[in-house]
Short mmCIF file of all heavy atoms in Angstrom, two decimals:
data_model
loop_
_atom_site.label_atom_id
_atom_site.label_comp_id
_atom_site.label_asym_id
_atom_site.label_seq_id
_atom_site.Cartn_x
_atom_site.Cartn_y
_atom_site.Cartn_z
N ALA A 1 -67.63 80.28 -200.50
CA ALA A 1 -67.83 81.70 -200.76
C ALA A 1 -67.01 82.58 -199.92
O ALA A 1 -66.39 83.59 -200.34
CB ALA A 1 -69.32 82.02 -200.60
N LEU A 2 -66.90 82.27 -198.58
CA LEU A 2 -66.14 83.12 -197.64
C LEU A 2 -64.69 83.02 -197.95
O LEU A 2 -63.94 84.03 -197.71
CB LEU A 2 -66.43 82.62 -196.21
CG LEU A 2 -67.80 82.89 -195.70
CD1 LEU A 2 -67.99 82.26 -194.30
CD2 LEU A 2 -68.21 84.39 -195.71
N SER A 3 -64.25 81.88 -198.51
CA SER A 3 -62.76 81.78 -198.78
C SER A 3 -62.35 82.65 -199.93
O SER A 3 -61.17 82.85 -200.12
CB SER A 3 -62.44 80.37 -199.11
OG SER A 3 -62.99 79.98 -200.40
N ASN A 4 -63.29 83.24 -200.64
CA ASN A 4 -62.99 84.13 -201.78
C ASN A 4 -63.40 85.59 -201.56
O ASN A 4 -63.52 86.39 -202.39
CB ASN A 4 -63.59 83.61 -203.03
CG ASN A 4 -62.82 82.50 -203.64
OD1 ASN A 4 -61.85 82.60 -204.32
ND2 ASN A 4 -63.27 81.26 -203.32
N VAL A 5 -63.53 85.90 -200.19
CA VAL A 5 -63.75 87.36 -199.82
C VAL A 5 -62.43 87.81 -199.33
O VAL A 5 -61.91 87.51 -198.27
CB VAL A 5 -64.79 87.43 -198.70
CG1 VAL A 5 -64.95 88.88 -198.22
CG2 VAL A 5 -66.12 86.91 -199.12
N PRO A 6 -61.65 88.61 -200.12
CA PRO A 6 -60.25 88.92 -199.83
C PRO A 6 -59.97 89.35 -198.51
O PRO A 6 -59.02 88.87 -197.81
CB PRO A 6 -59.91 90.02 -200.92
CG PRO A 6 -60.77 89.59 -202.11
CD PRO A 6 -62.07 89.13 -201.49
N PRO A 7 -60.65 90.38 -197.88
CA PRO A 7 -60.27 90.86 -196.49
C PRO A 7 -60.38 89.67 -195.45
O PRO A 7 -59.52 89.60 -194.61
CB PRO A 7 -61.25 92.02 -196.21
CG PRO A 7 -61.70 92.46 -197.51
CD PRO A 7 -61.75 91.23 -198.41
N LEU A 8 -61.48 88.93 -195.56
CA LEU A 8 -61.68 87.80 -194.67
C LEU A 8 -60.53 86.74 -194.85
O LEU A 8 -59.97 86.22 -193.96
CB LEU A 8 -62.98 87.26 -194.87
CG LEU A 8 -63.60 86.20 -193.88
CD1 LEU A 8 -63.66 86.73 -192.49
CD2 LEU A 8 -64.88 85.60 -194.35
N ARG A 9 -60.40 86.38 -196.16
CA ARG A 9 -59.40 85.36 -196.50
C ARG A 9 -58.04 85.71 -196.08
O ARG A 9 -57.27 84.97 -195.44
CB ARG A 9 -59.42 85.17 -198.06
CG ARG A 9 -58.28 84.29 -198.58
CD ARG A 9 -58.00 84.54 -200.03
NE ARG A 9 -57.49 85.91 -200.25
CZ ARG A 9 -57.33 86.49 -201.39
NH1 ARG A 9 -57.82 85.91 -202.52
NH2 ARG A 9 -56.75 87.75 -201.52
N ASN A 10 -57.59 87.01 -196.33
CA ASN A 10 -56.27 87.37 -195.98
C ASN A 10 -56.00 87.42 -194.47
O ASN A 10 -54.93 87.08 -193.97
CB ASN A 10 -56.04 88.89 -196.53
CG ASN A 10 -56.03 88.89 -198.04
OD1 ASN A 10 -56.10 87.81 -198.74
ND2 ASN A 10 -55.98 90.07 -198.66
N TYR A 11 -57.01 87.78 -193.69
CA TYR A 11 -56.91 87.77 -192.23
C TYR A 11 -56.66 86.40 -191.70
O TYR A 11 -55.71 86.17 -190.90
CB TYR A 11 -58.12 88.30 -191.58
CG TYR A 11 -58.09 88.33 -190.06
CD1 TYR A 11 -57.49 89.34 -189.38
CD2 TYR A 11 -58.71 87.31 -189.37
CE1 TYR A 11 -57.39 89.26 -188.01
CE2 TYR A 11 -58.61 87.19 -188.06
CZ TYR A 11 -57.99 88.18 -187.30
OH TYR A 11 -57.95 88.15 -185.96
N PHE A 12 -57.41 85.39 -192.27
CA PHE A 12 -57.21 83.98 -191.75
C PHE A 12 -56.09 83.31 -192.35
O PHE A 12 -55.69 82.18 -191.73
CB PHE A 12 -58.55 83.26 -192.00
CG PHE A 12 -59.66 83.63 -190.94
CD1 PHE A 12 -60.58 84.57 -191.26
CD2 PHE A 12 -59.61 83.06 -189.67
CE1 PHE A 12 -61.56 84.90 -190.27
CE2 PHE A 12 -60.59 83.33 -188.72
CZ PHE A 12 -61.52 84.32 -189.07
N LEU A 13 -55.53 83.69 -193.42
CA LEU A 13 -54.37 83.05 -193.99
C LEU A 13 -53.17 83.25 -193.19
O LEU A 13 -52.28 82.32 -193.15
CB LEU A 13 -54.11 83.48 -195.41
CG LEU A 13 -55.07 83.04 -196.55
CD1 LEU A 13 -54.63 83.62 -197.83
CD2 LEU A 13 -55.03 81.51 -196.65
N GLU A 14 -53.08 84.27 -192.45
CA GLU A 14 -51.88 84.61 -191.55
C GLU A 14 -52.20 84.30 -190.14
O GLU A 14 -52.89 85.10 -189.48
CB GLU A 14 -51.49 85.98 -191.77
CG GLU A 14 -50.06 86.25 -191.33
CD GLU A 14 -49.48 87.58 -191.88
OE1 GLU A 14 -50.18 88.34 -192.53
OE2 GLU A 14 -48.37 87.92 -191.49
N GLU A 15 -51.82 83.17 -189.65
CA GLU A 15 -52.26 82.72 -188.25
C GLU A 15 -51.81 83.69 -187.20
O GLU A 15 -52.45 83.83 -186.11
CB GLU A 15 -51.67 81.38 -188.01
CG GLU A 15 -52.26 80.73 -186.79
CD GLU A 15 -51.72 79.24 -186.57
OE1 GLU A 15 -50.85 78.82 -187.35
OE2 GLU A 15 -52.14 78.58 -185.68
N GLU A 16 -50.67 84.42 -187.40
CA GLU A 16 -50.33 85.36 -186.43
C GLU A 16 -51.32 86.42 -186.07
O GLU A 16 -51.32 87.09 -185.02
CB GLU A 16 -49.03 86.07 -186.89
CG GLU A 16 -47.77 85.18 -186.81
CD GLU A 16 -47.50 84.73 -185.39
OE1 GLU A 16 -47.58 85.52 -184.47
OE2 GLU A 16 -47.19 83.53 -185.21
N ASN A 17 -52.29 86.64 -186.96
CA ASN A 17 -53.34 87.70 -186.74
C ASN A 17 -54.20 87.28 -185.52
O ASN A 17 -54.78 88.31 -184.92
CB ASN A 17 -54.22 87.85 -187.98
CG ASN A 17 -53.54 88.53 -189.15
OD1 ASN A 17 -52.66 89.37 -188.90
ND2 ASN A 17 -53.88 88.20 -190.35
N TYR A 18 -54.36 86.07 -185.24
CA TYR A 18 -55.31 85.67 -184.15
C TYR A 18 -54.68 84.70 -183.16
O TYR A 18 -55.31 84.23 -182.27
CB TYR A 18 -56.51 85.13 -184.71
CG TYR A 18 -56.40 84.06 -185.72
CD1 TYR A 18 -56.30 82.74 -185.39
CD2 TYR A 18 -56.37 84.43 -187.10
CE1 TYR A 18 -56.12 81.73 -186.38
CE2 TYR A 18 -56.13 83.42 -188.08
CZ TYR A 18 -56.07 82.07 -187.67
OH TYR A 18 -55.91 81.08 -188.64
N ARG A 19 -53.41 84.24 -183.35
CA ARG A 19 -52.80 83.37 -182.49
C ARG A 19 -52.78 83.66 -181.05
O ARG A 19 -53.00 82.90 -180.10
CB ARG A 19 -51.34 83.10 -182.93
CG ARG A 19 -50.66 81.88 -182.19
CD ARG A 19 -49.15 81.96 -182.34
NE ARG A 19 -48.80 81.85 -183.75
CZ ARG A 19 -48.57 80.71 -184.32
NH1 ARG A 19 -48.69 79.57 -183.60
NH2 ARG A 19 -48.15 80.63 -185.61
N ARG A 20 -52.66 84.98 -180.76
CA ARG A 20 -52.42 85.45 -179.36
C ARG A 20 -53.73 86.00 -178.71
O ARG A 20 -53.67 86.62 -177.67
CB ARG A 20 -51.25 86.52 -179.25
CG ARG A 20 -49.93 85.87 -179.66
CD ARG A 20 -48.81 86.92 -179.54
NE ARG A 20 -47.56 86.33 -179.79
CZ ARG A 20 -46.99 86.06 -181.03
NH1 ARG A 20 -47.71 86.45 -182.02
NH2 ARG A 20 -45.76 85.56 -181.11
N ILE A 21 -54.75 85.93 -179.39
CA ILE A 21 -56.09 86.46 -178.79
C ILE A 21 -56.44 85.60 -177.55
O ILE A 21 -56.48 84.36 -177.61
CB ILE A 21 -57.25 86.42 -179.83
CG1 ILE A 21 -56.91 87.39 -181.00
CG2 ILE A 21 -58.51 86.65 -179.23
CD1 ILE A 21 -57.98 87.40 -182.11
N GLN A 22 -56.73 86.27 -176.47
CA GLN A 22 -56.99 85.58 -175.20
C GLN A 22 -58.53 85.25 -175.16
O GLN A 22 -59.35 86.10 -175.40
CB GLN A 22 -56.52 86.54 -174.03
CG GLN A 22 -55.15 86.80 -174.05
CD GLN A 22 -54.27 85.62 -173.80
OE1 GLN A 22 -54.60 84.73 -172.96
NE2 GLN A 22 -53.16 85.46 -174.59
N ARG A 23 -58.81 84.10 -174.71
CA ARG A 23 -60.15 83.63 -174.56
C ARG A 23 -60.31 83.02 -173.21
O ARG A 23 -59.39 82.54 -172.54
CB ARG A 23 -60.56 82.53 -175.58
CG ARG A 23 -60.47 83.03 -177.08
CD ARG A 23 -61.42 84.20 -177.30
NE ARG A 23 -62.78 83.93 -177.00
CZ ARG A 23 -63.77 84.86 -176.89
NH1 ARG A 23 -63.40 86.11 -176.97
NH2 ARG A 23 -64.97 84.44 -176.63
N PRO A 24 -61.54 83.13 -172.63
CA PRO A 24 -61.83 82.50 -171.29
C PRO A 24 -61.48 81.00 -171.27
O PRO A 24 -61.64 80.32 -172.21
CB PRO A 24 -63.29 82.72 -171.08
CG PRO A 24 -63.65 83.78 -172.01
CD PRO A 24 -62.77 83.66 -173.24
N PRO A 25 -60.99 80.49 -170.09
CA PRO A 25 -60.65 79.09 -169.91
C PRO A 25 -61.98 78.25 -170.31
O PRO A 25 -63.07 78.55 -169.86
CB PRO A 25 -60.32 79.02 -168.50
CG PRO A 25 -59.79 80.32 -168.08
CD PRO A 25 -60.65 81.28 -168.89
N GLY A 26 -61.73 77.19 -171.06
CA GLY A 26 -62.80 76.29 -171.40
C GLY A 26 -63.72 76.85 -172.51
O GLY A 26 -64.61 76.10 -172.94
N ASP A 27 -63.37 77.96 -173.12
CA ASP A 27 -64.12 78.50 -174.27
C ASP A 27 -63.86 77.61 -175.52
O ASP A 27 -62.72 77.53 -175.90
CB ASP A 27 -63.73 79.93 -174.55
CG ASP A 27 -64.42 80.49 -175.81
OD1 ASP A 27 -65.55 80.11 -176.00
OD2 ASP A 27 -63.74 81.21 -176.54
N ILE A 28 -64.89 76.99 -176.07
CA ILE A 28 -64.75 76.18 -177.27
C ILE A 28 -64.89 76.87 -178.54
O ILE A 28 -64.55 76.44 -179.65
CB ILE A 28 -65.67 74.96 -177.25
CG1 ILE A 28 -67.14 75.46 -177.34
CG2 ILE A 28 -65.42 74.16 -176.05
CD1 ILE A 28 -68.12 74.30 -177.52
N MET A 29 -65.51 78.13 -178.49
CA MET A 29 -65.84 78.86 -179.69
C MET A 29 -64.63 79.29 -180.55
O MET A 29 -64.69 79.41 -181.79
CB MET A 29 -66.69 80.08 -179.44
CG MET A 29 -68.03 79.76 -178.76
SD MET A 29 -69.08 78.57 -179.70
CE MET A 29 -69.51 79.51 -181.10
N PHE A 30 -63.44 79.42 -179.90
CA PHE A 30 -62.25 79.80 -180.56
C PHE A 30 -61.79 78.73 -181.53
O PHE A 30 -61.02 78.93 -182.49
CB PHE A 30 -61.13 80.25 -179.72
CG PHE A 30 -60.12 81.00 -180.36
CD1 PHE A 30 -60.32 82.34 -180.72
CD2 PHE A 30 -58.82 80.49 -180.61
CE1 PHE A 30 -59.32 83.09 -181.36
CE2 PHE A 30 -57.83 81.24 -181.25
CZ PHE A 30 -58.08 82.49 -181.60
N LEU A 31 -62.29 77.52 -181.36
CA LEU A 31 -61.94 76.44 -182.14
C LEU A 31 -62.50 76.69 -183.61
O LEU A 31 -61.75 76.35 -184.58
CB LEU A 31 -62.69 75.09 -181.72
CG LEU A 31 -62.33 73.82 -182.42
CD1 LEU A 31 -60.85 73.42 -182.32
CD2 LEU A 31 -63.25 72.70 -181.87
N LEU A 32 -63.56 77.42 -183.75
CA LEU A 32 -64.03 77.83 -185.08
C LEU A 32 -62.99 78.60 -185.81
O LEU A 32 -62.74 78.47 -186.97
CB LEU A 32 -65.37 78.55 -184.93
CG LEU A 32 -66.67 77.83 -184.65
CD1 LEU A 32 -67.77 78.75 -184.54
CD2 LEU A 32 -66.92 76.81 -185.74
N VAL A 33 -62.40 79.57 -185.08
CA VAL A 33 -61.46 80.45 -185.69
C VAL A 33 -60.22 79.60 -186.17
O VAL A 33 -59.69 79.82 -187.26
CB VAL A 33 -60.97 81.52 -184.65
CG1 VAL A 33 -59.83 82.34 -185.18
CG2 VAL A 33 -62.11 82.42 -184.31
N GLN A 34 -59.69 78.78 -185.30
CA GLN A 34 -58.52 77.91 -185.62
C GLN A 34 -58.87 77.05 -186.87
O GLN A 34 -57.98 76.99 -187.79
CB GLN A 34 -58.15 77.04 -184.44
CG GLN A 34 -57.69 77.88 -183.24
CD GLN A 34 -57.48 77.00 -182.01
OE1 GLN A 34 -58.32 76.16 -181.72
NE2 GLN A 34 -56.42 77.36 -181.27
N ARG A 35 -60.00 76.37 -186.80
CA ARG A 35 -60.31 75.47 -187.95
C ARG A 35 -60.59 76.21 -189.28
O ARG A 35 -60.27 75.71 -190.35
CB ARG A 35 -61.53 74.60 -187.58
CG ARG A 35 -61.21 73.64 -186.43
CD ARG A 35 -60.32 72.53 -186.86
NE ARG A 35 -60.00 71.58 -185.78
CZ ARG A 35 -58.91 71.58 -185.03
NH1 ARG A 35 -58.01 72.49 -185.27
NH2 ARG A 35 -58.84 70.74 -184.08
N PHE A 36 -61.24 77.35 -189.21
CA PHE A 36 -61.44 78.15 -190.39
C PHE A 36 -60.16 78.62 -190.97
O PHE A 36 -59.99 78.57 -192.18
CB PHE A 36 -62.42 79.35 -190.08
CG PHE A 36 -62.90 80.08 -191.26
CD1 PHE A 36 -63.53 79.39 -192.32
CD2 PHE A 36 -62.63 81.44 -191.42
CE1 PHE A 36 -63.98 80.13 -193.44
CE2 PHE A 36 -63.08 82.15 -192.57
CZ PHE A 36 -63.73 81.54 -193.51
N GLY A 37 -59.23 79.02 -190.16
CA GLY A 37 -57.93 79.45 -190.61
C GLY A 37 -57.19 78.30 -191.28
O GLY A 37 -56.64 78.46 -192.34
N GLU A 38 -57.25 77.17 -190.64
CA GLU A 38 -56.58 75.97 -191.25
C GLU A 38 -57.19 75.62 -192.64
O GLU A 38 -56.52 75.27 -193.61
CB GLU A 38 -56.75 74.76 -190.35
CG GLU A 38 -55.91 74.90 -189.10
CD GLU A 38 -56.28 73.77 -188.04
OE1 GLU A 38 -57.24 72.97 -188.40
OE2 GLU A 38 -55.69 73.78 -186.95
N LEU A 39 -58.57 75.69 -192.73
CA LEU A 39 -59.28 75.41 -194.02
C LEU A 39 -58.82 76.42 -195.04
O LEU A 39 -58.62 76.08 -196.23
CB LEU A 39 -60.68 75.38 -193.80
CG LEU A 39 -61.59 75.01 -195.01
CD1 LEU A 39 -61.21 73.59 -195.49
CD2 LEU A 39 -63.07 75.12 -194.70
N MET A 40 -58.81 77.64 -194.75
CA MET A 40 -58.41 78.71 -195.65
C MET A 40 -57.03 78.50 -196.24
O MET A 40 -56.80 78.55 -197.45
CB MET A 40 -58.44 80.12 -195.03
CG MET A 40 -59.76 80.71 -194.65
SD MET A 40 -60.87 80.87 -196.04
CE MET A 40 -61.87 79.36 -195.90
N ARG A 41 -56.12 78.12 -195.33
CA ARG A 41 -54.71 77.87 -195.80
C ARG A 41 -54.69 76.64 -196.69
O ARG A 41 -53.81 76.58 -197.71
CB ARG A 41 -53.81 77.70 -194.56
CG ARG A 41 -53.62 79.10 -193.92
CD ARG A 41 -52.53 79.04 -192.83
NE ARG A 41 -52.92 78.28 -191.64
CZ ARG A 41 -53.71 78.77 -190.66
NH1 ARG A 41 -54.04 80.02 -190.70
NH2 ARG A 41 -53.95 78.04 -189.65
N LYS A 42 -55.47 75.66 -196.40
CA LYS A 42 -55.46 74.48 -197.32
C LYS A 42 -56.15 74.75 -198.61
O LYS A 42 -55.64 74.21 -199.67
CB LYS A 42 -56.19 73.28 -196.59
CG LYS A 42 -55.42 72.68 -195.41
CD LYS A 42 -56.09 71.63 -194.68
CE LYS A 42 -55.27 71.10 -193.49
NZ LYS A 42 -55.94 70.05 -192.76
N LEU A 43 -57.22 75.52 -198.62
CA LEU A 43 -57.86 75.84 -199.89
C LEU A 43 -56.94 76.67 -200.86
O LEU A 43 -56.99 76.58 -202.11
CB LEU A 43 -59.11 76.61 -199.65
CG LEU A 43 -60.32 75.82 -199.10
CD1 LEU A 43 -61.46 76.74 -198.69
CD2 LEU A 43 -60.85 74.87 -200.20
N TRP A 44 -56.07 77.55 -200.25
CA TRP A 44 -55.28 78.38 -201.03
C TRP A 44 -53.81 77.87 -201.12
O TRP A 44 -52.94 78.52 -201.67
CB TRP A 44 -55.22 79.82 -200.45
CG TRP A 44 -56.51 80.56 -200.76
CD1 TRP A 44 -57.63 80.53 -200.01
CD2 TRP A 44 -56.78 81.29 -201.95
NE1 TRP A 44 -58.61 81.29 -200.63
CE2 TRP A 44 -58.10 81.84 -201.77
CE3 TRP A 44 -56.05 81.64 -203.00
CZ2 TRP A 44 -58.70 82.55 -202.79
CZ3 TRP A 44 -56.62 82.47 -204.04
CH2 TRP A 44 -57.94 82.88 -203.87
N ASN A 45 -53.61 76.66 -200.76
CA ASN A 45 -52.26 76.03 -200.79
C ASN A 45 -51.89 75.74 -202.32
O ASN A 45 -52.57 74.99 -202.91
CB ASN A 45 -52.27 74.74 -199.95
CG ASN A 45 -50.99 73.97 -200.01
OD1 ASN A 45 -49.92 74.54 -200.47
ND2 ASN A 45 -50.92 72.79 -199.44
#
């Protein structure tokens, strides 16, 4: 469902949108962002 919400989908399809966001050392939550972006790009490939 989330992969078909255009504003959300478009943001995550372009990795440059969040590649340079700074997170605290050891923060694992940004992994969700990376994996969700990867999944969006594979779904729309």
Side-chain angles (χ1 to χ4, degrees):
L2 293 177
S3 73
N4 282 277
V5 178
L8 188 66
R9 173 201 66 193
N10 295 352
Y11 178 84
F12 282 96
L13 284 179
E14 198 166 0
E15 191 176 4
E16 285 301 317
N17 287 330
Y18 51 87
R19 186 197 297 272
R20 295 180 176 84
I21 292 177
Q22 299 296 314
R23 298 300 303 166
D27 174 39
I28 64 169
M29 298 305 290
F30 198 71
L31 184 63
L32 284 178
V33 175
Q34 295 171 319
R35 293 291 180 260
F36 188 56
E38 290 170 0
L39 183 63
M40 290 301 98
R41 290 188 288 278
K42 290 179 180 179
L43 285 170
W44 284 90
N45 180 8

